[in-house]
Amino acid sequence: MAITSRAPAPGGGVPVPPAGPSAPPPGGPPRGTAWAEGVERLREAATTEPGRLRIIGAVLAALIVLFGTVSVWEISDRAAAADDVVGRSQPLSADAASIYRSLADADTTSSSGFLLGAQEPREVRQRYEKDIANASRLLVSAAANTGGNEDSRKQITLLSEQLPRYTGLIEQARATNRQGLPLGGAYLRYANEQMTTQLLPAAQRLYESETKRLYADHDDARSWPLASIGLGLLAVAALVWAQRRNYRHTNRVLNHGLVAATAASVVVLLWLAVGHTVARSSLNEARVDGQESMKVLNDARIASLQARAGENLTLIARGAVLAEDKKSDKYDVDFTNNMKQLDAGLATALRLADDEAGRSPVGRAADGVEQWKQRHAAAREADLKGDYEAALPQVVGDDEHKESSGAAFDTVDASLEQAVAHEQREFTRAAGDGLGALSGLVTGSAALVVIGAAAALLGIGRRLSEYR
């Protein structure tokens, strides 16, 4: 066996083992880890110009790619919100308003048919049936498209349950009235009470819920893509700095790759800012000139329908239902209040109308309201004198009374329907323009950013080739 001898320690002391590898210095990452090796290589690379160029190229490419990724994400989100405004939330809000109008019109038409009794024209009955069918169809559509909106679903369920009860009461009132029994008026008043206390409030809440979602989608579509714009400015600033650094080190004014990367980034940034500005402007126009006008016109039309129902029920009840003061006829008071709301709504609609096509039907409606008031006053005067037979044709019309309050109401209703249709077209056009301003921006941004990142790497690579 070989024996290894150790050198004696100086002075005859204990032998000292040979020195091994030095211990790692205190502090700093331990040697041998991937992180430490990466940091060391980066530090070493930063001490040479080629290494610094590689780091600059990687940072520029990463910054441009990050700018593009965030831009695509933010614009996709806003384009989806704008698409919801055009294709989902606004149609649902409009359908909810149509449900309310259909129910109010059905109530008004049923009272008109009741007054006409056995002489009820077929078109009056068909209008009532059309209103009920339209409300039922829109409820089914709303239930299928309202999504996870719990409040809307609750109102749709209530409307679906109460509508058959209302139509049952109307049929009972109609059948009893045809038999000449006074109980028919009680059934009709009860049906009207159910409409005004159950169905119409539920339809109003449904409309408000869907309109709230429309405004939320609208705000999402109009919100500025601040993160994208900030990153875009940072990327452009970094590219300008890299070109200035290149000029100071080489006295060369242009680096084609960096210039191309800067151009691509600037185009994306300008496209992003200009496209979103145009989209915001169009969506704002859709909201102010379209949606707000439609809301006012829908409210005015509903007030006119309720006023007409109150006018009819005044003749049907004949003072049997009193207002809160226990002196006035409830339905006549309702008529007066609704006409005040109608006047205020038409004045606001005229102020919001921004073109002749919008103002003209509102003006005709206002003229019709004045005629309606005059004819109603004449009919009411005859009724208060106890001359029901003279008052009735002045309200519902006949061969000798073409200029009845009912004819004036028809003029108002048709004019408001035309005004609503015009504003709906204006909204659809403006909102579509807003959505169109965002179309192509996602794909174009992604493509230009890829080009920009590649150009930045090529530009840095061109400088690196000078060191080989």
Side-chain angles (χ1 to χ4, degrees):
M1 175 183 295
I3 299 175
T4 302
S5 63
R6 293 185 179 180
V14 179
V16 178
S22 60
R31 290 183 176 273
T33 65
W35 172 259
E37 291 178 2
V39 171
E40 185 63 27
R41 289 175 182 174
L42 188 62
R43 185 182 297 115
E44 292 175 357
T47 61
T48 64
E49 181 61 14
R52 285 192 287 269
L53 287 173
R54 290 189 180 93
I55 294 172
I56 291 171
V59 171
L60 289 177
L63 192 56
I64 294 172
V65 169
L66 181 61
F67 166 45
T69 302
V70 174
S71 298
V72 168
W73 170 62
E74 286 196 318
I75 294 303
S76 296
D77 183 65
R78 282 147 184 78
D83 187 60
D84 284 342
V85 167
V86 175
R88 189 198 64 172
S89 51
Q90 199 282 327
L92 282 173
S93 176
D95 285 350
S98 293
I99 290 172
Y100 195 116
R101 286 198 307 269
S102 295
L103 292 175
D105 191 66
D107 195 50
T108 300
T109 306
S110 64
S111 61
S112 297
F114 187 92
L115 284 173
L116 293 168
Q119 286 76 40
E120 178 185 14
R122 182 171 179 80
E123 56 268 20
V124 174
R125 182 64 182 175
Q126 288 176 337
R127 178 170 175 169
Y128 166 80
E129 292 175 345
K130 181 180 178 181
D131 285 331
I132 296 298
N134 188 54
S136 300
R137 177 182 59 80
L138 291 175
L139 282 172
V140 172
S141 176
N145 296 304
T146 195
N149 193 327
E150 244 351 276
D151 186 54
S152 292
R153 287 189 172 278
K154 181 180 178 181
Q155 305 312 322
I156 291 170
T157 300
L158 177 59
L159 287 166
S160 300
E161 291 175 350
Q162 294 296 326
L163 186 56
R165 298 177 186 176
Y166 171 80
T167 56
L169 288 170
I170 291 296
E171 293 309 313
Q172 187 66 46
R174 186 167 178 262
T176 307
N177 186 47
R178 285 183 173 273
Q179 296 174 12
L181 300 176
L183 189 60
Y187 277 116
L188 187 68
R189 291 195 301 272
Y190 184 56
N192 173 262
E193 181 181 355
Q194 186 182 25
M195 175 64 75
T196 55
T197 61
Q198 298 280 340
L199 289 165
L200 291 182
Q204 178 68 26
R205 290 191 295 270
L206 175 63
Y207 172 69
E208 290 172 353
S209 177
E210 294 301 334
T211 301
K212 181 179 179 181
R213 181 161 65 168
L214 166 62
Y215 287 161
D217 288 339
H218 183 271
D219 291 340
D220 289 343
R222 292 180 69 250
S223 61
W224 280 104
L226 296 179
S228 300
I229 293 174
L231 283 170
L233 291 173
L234 182 60
V236 171
L239 286 164
V240 170
W241 172 84
Q243 291 177 82
R244 184 171 180 273
R245 182 183 184 278
N246 180 66
Y247 170 73
R248 293 177 63 185
H249 282 72
T250 66
N251 287 326
R252 293 172 183 165
V253 178
L254 298 177
N255 178 293
H256 295 160
L258 293 179
V259 169
T262 304
S265 298
V266 169
V267 168
V268 173
L269 185 59
L270 290 176
W271 192 359
L272 182 69
V274 173
H276 197 268
T277 299
V278 173
R280 279 175 60 89
S281 176
S282 296
L283 289 169
N284 187 64
E285 179 186 352
R287 180 167 179 169
V288 174
D289 296 338
Q291 180 63 28
E292 293 298 330
S293 293
M294 278 192 289
K295 185 178 185 303
V296 171
L297 289 168
N298 282 325
D299 290 343
R301 193 176 181 193
I302 288 165
S304 72
L305 290 167
Q306 292 178 336
R308 179 59 178 171
E311 184 178 39
N312 291 336
L313 287 166
T314 301
L315 288 178
I316 294 171
R318 302 186 188 183
V321 183
L322 298 179
E324 292 181 358
D325 62 5
K326 303 302 179 183
K327 296 178 181 179
S328 307
D329 185 287
K330 175 186 181 301
Y331 299 113
D332 190 48
V333 171
D334 290 344
F335 171 84
T336 302
N337 292 335
N338 285 316
M339 292 300 280
K340 290 179 180 178
Q341 294 176 17
L342 177 56
D343 285 336
L346 290 177
T348 304
L350 276 173
R351 188 174 68 251
L352 291 176
D354 60 343
D355 57 10
E356 184 58 30
R359 285 189 291 268
S360 180
V362 177
R364 289 197 299 272
D367 293 339
V369 168
E370 293 304 316
Q371 293 180 350
W372 186 2
K373 290 178 181 178
Q374 295 172 6
R375 296 172 187 178
H376 170 79
R380 185 63 179 152
E381 182 180 0
D383 187 35
L384 289 173
K385 290 179 179 179
D387 194 353
Y388 177 82
E389 297 301 326
L392 180 61
Q394 293 183 62
V395 172
V396 299
D398 59 17
D399 293 339
E400 297 179 2
H401 296 83
K402 300 294 186 182
E403 296 183 351
S404 63
S405 63
F409 161 75
D410 289 339
T411 299
V412 173
D413 189 61
S415 299
L416 288 175
E417 182 177 13
Q418 182 180 353
V420 169
H422 170 74
E423 297 301 337
Q424 178 66 62
R425 290 192 296 270
E426 289 293 294
F427 176 91
T428 303
R429 176 194 58 76
D433 290 344
L435 178 59
L438 297 175
S439 64
L441 184 53
V442 172
T443 304
S445 298
L448 285 171
V449 162
V450 170
I451 293 173
L457 291 175
L458 288 174
I460 295 298
R462 178 68 176 172
R463 284 281 292 118
L464 282 171
S465 66
E466 297 172 0
Y467 289 90
R468 299 191 183 104

